[in-house]
Amino acid sequence: MESLPEAVLLRILASIPAVELVLVCRLVCCQWKNLVDGAALWILKCQQEGLSRAESDVENWQSFYFLSKKRRNLIKNPCGEEGLEHWGEVENGGDGWKIEELPGDFGKEFPSEEVHKYFVTSYEWCRKAQVIDLRAEGYWEELMDTTQPKIMVRDWYAGRGDAGCLYELCVKLLSENEDVLAEYKSDTVTIPQGNDGSWTEISHTFSSYGPGVRFVRFEHGGQDTLFWQGWYGARVTGSSVTLEP
């Protein structure tokens, strides 16, 4: 192996699973460590697996590779297909949360055909939350503290045309001890009675948030403004939290 040209050795290493490269191959010798720590190997793996980005936009190709492979929605049950499963700290004001089929009464279809249901609130505040354990999802401490990948938060909300409603979103980045290291809180959105029932996306990106982030706490909720019995409040669906390469 020592006599192999570096370009050949790179191609051999690029065929090895990424986790083994970092945990095993990197420890073999100084040459292998330098190759695993360098950009060329990870650029090659990205090319082989169709993970593209302009080279000038990437500071750390190893982190880019792992983040691209892991990129997914970390919110579980974002559209109510499993009832309220995975949602905690549930506040059931009025008649509580309900799950309905799109488009719903006085509503509009969702922009994506993959979404079929939504959560709807009642005549007093309804809130629900999820806490994402980043280590359990595969985002290790060094990655979070050094690379600090962007954390993209998205949610979709709507009213029904015959009733006004309120909507709020609050997302916190938490430490090991659940101290708040960064926070995004939307304004209280007021949707008037007589609206067209269309869906609106709200988003926020956390970046340069400093070391120590271990959890993401996502909370949203709403209510109607007419205090009608039943489910005339804000509708929410398609929630997502992703770590971006």
Side-chain angles (χ1 to χ4, degrees):
M1 295 290 283
E2 294 178 358
S3 63
L4 286 176
E6 187 171 286
V8 176
L9 182 54
L10 276 173
R11 291 201 169 274
I12 293 172
L13 291 175
S15 67
I16 297 172
V19 173
E20 291 185 23
L21 285 173
V22 174
L23 298 181
V24 180
C25 297
R26 189 174 179 273
L27 306 178
V28 170
C29 63
C30 289
Q31 182 191 20
W32 285 31
K33 178 181 182 298
N34 291 334
L35 290 176
V36 172
D37 289 346
L41 173 61
W42 299 100
I43 291 174
L44 181 56
K45 284 189 73 66
C46 286
Q47 292 173 345
Q48 289 175 343
E49 299 182 34
L51 306 175
S52 61
R53 178 74 69 84
E55 291 192 23
S56 59
D57 293 339
V58 179
E59 294 182 7
N60 186 315
W61 278 94
Q62 184 183 127
S63 295
F64 173 78
Y65 175 87
F66 278 105
L67 287 168
S68 298
K69 295 292 285 186
K70 288 180 177 294
R71 189 178 184 276
R72 66 195 186 283
N73 186 6
L74 300 178
I75 291 287
K76 297 178 174 63
N77 185 28
C79 306
E81 296 289 348
E82 302 172 68
L84 286 170
E85 186 74 20
H86 303 296
W87 292 95
E89 303 178 53
V90 177
E91 180 180 343
N92 279 312
D95 288 324
W97 287 95
K98 185 182 180 184
I99 292 92
E100 295 181 343
E101 298 276 348
L102 281 160
D105 294 338
F106 296 92
K108 291 284 184 67
E109 289 289 354
F110 192 74
S112 170
E113 295 181 356
E114 297 178 358
V115 178
H116 307 287
K117 294 183 179 182
Y118 59 85
F119 302 91
V120 58
T121 61
S122 190
Y123 59 86
E124 291 179 353
W125 272 99
C126 297
R127 293 182 174 88
K128 58 187 177 69
Q130 277 192 41
V131 177
I132 299 165
D133 183 337
L134 294 171
R135 282 176 299 192
E137 297 292 343
Y139 299 97
W140 59 96
E141 288 90 340
E142 183 182 357
L143 179 72
M144 295 306 304
D145 294 346
T146 304
T147 303
Q148 295 179 31
K150 292 180 180 180
I151 301 175
M152 174 69 78
V153 177
R154 294 184 178 89
D155 202 21
W156 289 84
Y157 65 87
R160 50 181 286 163
D162 59 342
C165 63
L166 305 174
Y167 163 85
E168 287 182 356
L169 171 66
C170 180
V171 184
K172 299 177 181 179
L173 306 186
L174 306 177
S175 70
E176 179 74 33
N177 299 319
E178 299 189 4
D179 299 318
V180 178
L181 302 180
E183 179 177 6
Y184 168 74
K185 193 176 192 313
S186 72
D187 296 330
T188 300
V189 178
T190 301
I191 302 175
Q193 187 177 17
N195 69 89
D196 65 2
S198 61
W199 289 90
T200 299
E201 183 184 41
I202 184 171
S203 66
H204 177 76
T205 301
F206 292 96
S207 61
S208 303
Y209 40 76
V213 172
R214 300 293 179 263
F215 302 94
V216 179
R217 185 182 185 278
F218 179 104
E219 178 187 296
H220 61 184
Q223 69 168 97
D224 79 47
T225 53
L226 301 175
F227 301 96
W228 289 348
Q229 187 173 5
W231 296 273
Y232 293 84
R235 299 168 169 182
V236 294
T237 195
S239 311
S240 67
V241 173
T242 56
L243 271 64
E244 302 292 329

